[in-house]
Amino acid sequence: MKTKWVRMLAVALAAVSTALLFTACGTEKKDAKADQPQGGTLKVAMTATFPPFEYVDSKTNKFAGIDVDIANYIAKKLGKKVEITDMKFASLIPTLQSGRADMVISGISPTAKRSEVVSFTKPYFYPPKAIVAKKGTNFTSLEALKGHKAGATMGTTYVKELKSVPGIDVVELDSATMAVQDVLNGRLDATVCDGTHAIVFCKEHPELEMHMLKLSTSSDDTFAIAFPKDSKDVEKVNAILDEMKKNGEFHKILVKHMGEEQAADYEKKVKELGL
């Protein structure tokens, strides 16, 4: 009888010990989770076919560009790691709305229509328009193109602006690349295109020069960062963008991807507008 009682006591003690063990393990797991540092991943969506803002570096096969560096800086300040997903431009907003991305930075403008479904930061870049021509032509304004043949991509505001100046022989082409090629082969005297593209064209073809035109402050022409509608991260990132411009980090990024001369020219125009 005593032996049987001892065995029952042993089984009971073992059961209690096991229960305590599981309870302790559960507490330890919960505490460990609570002690984990805040961070995680900042899922960024972009269309990596728009140098110098976002593209895939052929040498490293990694994402590069102005927007990529800005995204990395923002993630660092938020204590997160960046995870970039490349996709078609038309998919960016839907991807953000569905929760598959936390942020979109891809040379995207905060138009009224887009602002109905997502929230934007303040503009961080004012894309300049530029005149591209052969070196020495010195076409510093649209008026300087009077009496000359100039081209631009069909259906763009660049065509409208060229046509608004009497005396310019305006040619419409399928792409900015084709327009630049026609400047190189002498079919056109100049072309008007996106200023950031112009920088790339002039780097690829040293025989070309570019002159930036006045910047536009219209929301349809500026670049901003998109977040889910009413996201609290908008104000956080606005503060980070302000910091980048004050501490010189934004300037470094522009110089890295635009070059010292063009970055200085752009920043001068921004200052003139009081932006």
Side-chain angles (χ1 to χ4, degrees), residues 169-245:
D169 184 3
V170 182
V171 179
E172 298 185 49
L173 300 104
D174 289 336
S175 68
T177 301
M178 289 179 65
V180 168
Q181 191 58 48
D182 278 2
V183 170
L184 290 168
N185 61 34
R187 291 195 184 96
L188 291 176
D189 297 313
T191 181
V192 176
C193 63
D194 177 84
T196 52
H197 272 164
I199 293 169
V200 175
F201 291 141
C202 290
K203 282 183 178 180
E204 293 175 346
H205 305 284
E207 63 269 40
L208 297 175
E209 69 178 24
M210 63 171 284
H211 293 281
M212 289 189 182
L213 302 176
K214 186 178 179 179
L215 304 181
S216 172
T217 58
S218 167
S219 60
D220 288 359
D221 294 329
T222 64
F223 291 166
I225 302 172
F227 286 91
K229 192 66 178 174
D230 300 323
S231 170
K232 294 180 180 179
D233 287 332
V234 171
E235 289 308 312
K236 292 179 185 178
V237 173
N238 275 335
I240 293 172
L241 291 173
D242 286 339
E243 174 188 301
M244 292 180 73
K245 291 181 179 180

Side-chain angles (χ1 to χ4, degrees), residues 59-213:
K59 294 180 180 179
T60 64
N61 203 34
K62 293 181 179 180
F63 293 109
I66 294 171
D67 286 346
V68 174
D69 286 352
I70 292 173
N72 283 325
Y73 187 91
I74 290 171
K76 183 178 179 181
K77 296 299 293 186
L78 295 176
K80 298 184 178 183
K81 293 182 179 180
V82 171
E83 180 184 291
I84 295 176
T85 302
D86 183 18
M87 63 186 65
K88 292 180 179 180
F89 194 82
S91 299
L92 294 175
I93 296 298
T95 298
L96 190 61
Q97 289 179 284
S98 69
R100 287 174 289 150
D102 303 313
M103 181 178 102
V104 167
I105 180 168
S106 190
I108 190 168
S109 300
T111 63
K113 186 175 182 180
R114 290 171 182 154
S115 296
E116 291 177 0
V117 294
V118 299
S119 292
F120 285 95
T121 62
K122 63 178 69 175
Y124 65 90
F125 195 82
Y126 302 85
K129 300 177 180 72
I131 298 173
V132 176
K134 287 186 178 179
K135 275 189 174 177
T137 49
N138 201 34
F139 296 134
T140 58
S141 67
L142 292 177
E143 286 71 23
L145 294 174
K146 288 181 179 180
H148 296 278
K149 183 181 284 189
T153 305
M154 187 181 300
T156 63
T157 56
Y158 309 132
V159 170
K160 292 181 181 179
E161 291 185 26
L162 283 171
K163 288 183 175 180
S164 70
V165 180
I168 301 177
D169 184 3
V170 182
V171 179
E172 298 185 49
L173 300 104
D174 289 336
S175 68
T177 301
M178 289 179 65
V180 168
Q181 191 58 48
D182 278 2
V183 170
L184 290 168
N185 61 34
R187 291 195 184 96
L188 291 176
D189 297 313
T191 181
V192 176
C193 63
D194 177 84
T196 52
H197 272 164
I199 293 169
V200 175
F201 291 141
C202 290
K203 282 183 178 180
E204 293 175 346
H205 305 284
E207 63 269 40
L208 297 175
E209 69 178 24
M210 63 171 284
H211 293 281
M212 289 189 182
L213 302 176

